[in-house]
């Protein structure tokens, strides 16, 4: 019989192997893993969770690497969750992330975990939240979540962060127009990376104009130029992040900070949605007859769904 409390204690003590095993068990949906998570949750909420999103190739991993460097100099323990789609077309992405952050791989105060989209279908956001909670409970001061800024799943992932950084690059005038409203909506700090390239000023101007168009106050969403490969601008980026964090906490000195509530709500929603989705899949497998009847038109989707929902709710 696995001793859940013992595993939880090991994770809380920062035991890397225990944490890695727990993350694997969560992936494999080993039932005991949830019991350990229940014990860990009261010990989470201390880490500063920073989201980094943007198009593939924008330099997210390089920015994250520079941020790790910055926080390590301040003697902070840093956890990283790199979420990347592992479609046949971008299968190398995670390998790229690993290479970009390689120099920190041997640092005992840096823990990097890659999550592939594949295998987390629909549950990516929940999986990410769980890994963030484990890293938080381990005592990481900062947890950085890197995710590609496409799709609802990725947007959901970023809403788990206290501060969300959106990384763009110069020379993509049209592409900036194509940045989804949703992505701009979630940006707390905008980064124009690869500022060593032509057109950074124009990109900044375009972003300012877009923010104004959307009614954002320029002081609310700061725009920072970086050259992640050399570390140029990273100090300024961290300052902008700190200022956002301060504004966030200053506004809610009484009671629970809004961002913390939103994060808790998102965590709860993900958990419920994920469980319901799995319950629906399980139940559908058991009701082949119902699907057949629907296909034959001897029942309708409304009556059939009533029946299925009833079956799910009486079961749980
Ligand atoms: N010129 C230049 N190249 C950069 C900069 N930041 C990242 N890169 C390069 O852009 C490529 C993609 O970077 P990566 O961090 O993997 O992007 P990601 O897909 O957004 O994580 C790599 O070859 C980096 O070396 C920068 O500031 N300037
Ligand atoms: Mg990357």
């Amino acid at each position: 019989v696995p001793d859940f409390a013992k595993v939880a204690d090991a994770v809380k003590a920062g035991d890397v192997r225990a944490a890695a095993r727990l993350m694997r068990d969560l992936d494999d949906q080993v039932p005991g893993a949830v019991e350990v998570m229940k014990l860990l949750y009261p010990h989470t909420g201390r880490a500063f969770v920073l989201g980094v999103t943007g198009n593939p190739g924008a330099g997210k991993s390089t920015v994250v690497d520079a941020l790790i460097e910055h926080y390590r100099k301040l003697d902070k323990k840093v956890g990283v969750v790199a979420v990347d789609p592992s479609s046949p077309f971008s299968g190398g992405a995670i390998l790229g992330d690993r290479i970009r952050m390689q120099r920190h791989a041997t640092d005992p105060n840096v823990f990097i975990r890659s999550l592939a989209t594949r295998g987390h279908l629909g549950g990516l956001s929940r999986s990410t939240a769980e890994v963030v909670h484990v890293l938080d409970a381990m005592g990481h001061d900062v947890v950085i979540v890197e995710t590609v800024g496409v799709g609802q799943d990725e947007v959901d992932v970023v809403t788990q962060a206290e501060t969300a950084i959106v990384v763009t690059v110069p020379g993509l005038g049209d592409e900036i127009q194509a940045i989804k409203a949703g992505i701009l909506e979630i940006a707390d700090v905008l980064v124009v990376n690869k500022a060593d390239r032509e057109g950074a000023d124009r990109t900044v101007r375009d972003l300012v104009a877009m923010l104004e168009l959307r009614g954002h106050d320029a002081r609310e969403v700061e725009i920072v130029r970086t050259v992640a490969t050399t570390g140029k601008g990273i100090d300024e980026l961290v300052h902008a992040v700190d200022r956002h964090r301060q504004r966030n906490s200053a506004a809610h000195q009484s009671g629970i900070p809004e961002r913390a509530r939103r994060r808790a709500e998102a965590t709860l929603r993900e958990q419920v949605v994920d469980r319901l989705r799995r319950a629906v899949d399980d139940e559908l497998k058991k009701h082949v007859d119902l699907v057949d009847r629907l296909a034959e038109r001897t029942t309708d989707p409304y009556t059939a769904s009533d029946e299925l929902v009833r079956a799910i709710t009486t079961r749980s």
Side-chain angles (χ1 to χ4, degrees):
V1 181
D3 192 339
F4 303 136
K6 228 163 111 183
V7 178
D9 283 345
V11 172
K12 279 188 278 172
D15 186 326
V16 169
R17 289 182 61 184
R21 198 175 316 121
L22 175 59
M23 289 175 190
R24 215 168 39 240
D25 286 352
L26 284 166
D27 268 358
D28 299 342
Q29 295 181 0
V30 176
V34 169
E35 298 309 314
V36 177
M37 292 306 285
K38 287 181 187 173
L39 297 172
L40 288 181
Y41 191 76
H43 302 274
T44 62
R46 290 176 210 161
F48 171 54
V49 184
L50 183 60
V52 179
T53 190
N55 288 337
K60 297 178 297 297
S61 296
T62 315
V63 168
V64 172
D65 176 76
L67 287 170
I68 298 172
E69 179 80 4
H70 179 98
Y71 286 120
R72 285 303 298 133
K73 278 194 185 136
L74 300 172
D75 207 26
K76 305 262 187 222
K77 247 181 105 161
V78 186
V80 177
V81 192
V83 185
D84 236 317
S86 53
S87 73
F89 309 106
S90 58
I94 280 183
L95 191 64
D97 292 342
R98 287 247 175 85
I99 290 165
R100 230 68 81 201
M101 303 171 200
Q102 193 60 47
R103 61 182 170 146
H104 300 292
T106 53
D107 183 340
N109 289 308
V110 177
F111 190 112
I112 300 168
R113 170 80 176 174
S114 300
L115 278 183
T117 309
R118 194 167 51 203
H120 293 267
L121 262 182
L124 180 69
S125 192
R126 179 190 51 82
S127 303
T128 309
E130 282 173 343
V131 173
V132 169
H133 283 143
V134 174
L135 293 171
D136 190 343
M138 283 174 82
H140 289 96
D141 302 291
V142 183
V143 175
I144 305 173
V145 180
E146 175 190 334
T147 172
V148 173
V150 285
Q152 188 56 44
D153 241 12
E154 279 73 16
V155 173
D156 287 346
V157 164
V158 173
T159 57
Q160 295 169 12
E162 236 172 293
T163 302
I165 298 173
V166 173
V167 182
T168 60
V169 293
L172 297 171
D174 291 338
E175 197 157 319
I176 282 179
Q177 297 304 322
I179 292 177
K180 294 261 164 61
I183 279 295
L184 207 65
E185 263 353 289
I186 59 167
D188 297 312
V189 178
L190 279 166
V191 169
V192 177
N193 187 43
K194 307 197 184 183
D196 52 328
R197 292 195 181 165
E198 202 94 356
D201 292 338
R202 202 196 135 196
T203 303
V204 171
R205 279 200 304 276
D206 287 350
L207 287 171
V208 170
M210 277 184 82
L211 286 173
E212 279 171 358
L213 212 65
R214 293 187 185 282
H216 285 278
D217 189 326
R219 282 165 306 177
E220 271 169 28
V221 182
E222 289 188 52
I223 304 172
V224 183
R225 275 164 244 233
T226 60
V227 183
T229 37
T230 66
K232 195 168 170 223
I234 295 299
D235 283 354
E236 288 83 348
L237 172 58
V238 173
H239 287 146
V241 166
D242 286 345
R243 276 192 292 271
H244 171 263
R245 199 182 171 188
Q246 237 149 33
R247 279 197 301 276
N248 239 7
S249 57
H252 304 278
Q253 258 160 2
S254 58
I256 308 160
E258 190 51 40
R259 199 88 178 189
R261 277 204 81 263
R262 234 185 301 160
R263 215 184 130 195
E265 191 183 289
T267 301
L268 186 57
R269 178 180 291 112
E270 286 314 318
Q271 200 62 42
V272 172
V273 167
D274 195 57
R275 282 172 69 167
L276 286 178
R277 191 184 287 118
R278 264 185 277 167
V280 170
D281 288 345
D282 287 350
E283 212 57 45
L284 269 173
K285 274 185 216 132
K286 287 189 217 149
H287 286 81
V288 182
D289 57 305
L290 194 61
V291 178
D292 289 347
R293 276 190 283 140
L294 188 58
E296 288 166 348
R297 265 63 184 175
T298 55
T299 187
D300 60 87
Y302 310 97
T303 310
S305 61
D306 276 348
E307 206 172 308
L308 204 68
V309 169
R310 208 154 35 232
I312 292 166
T313 47
T314 50
R315 210 162 51 93
S316 55

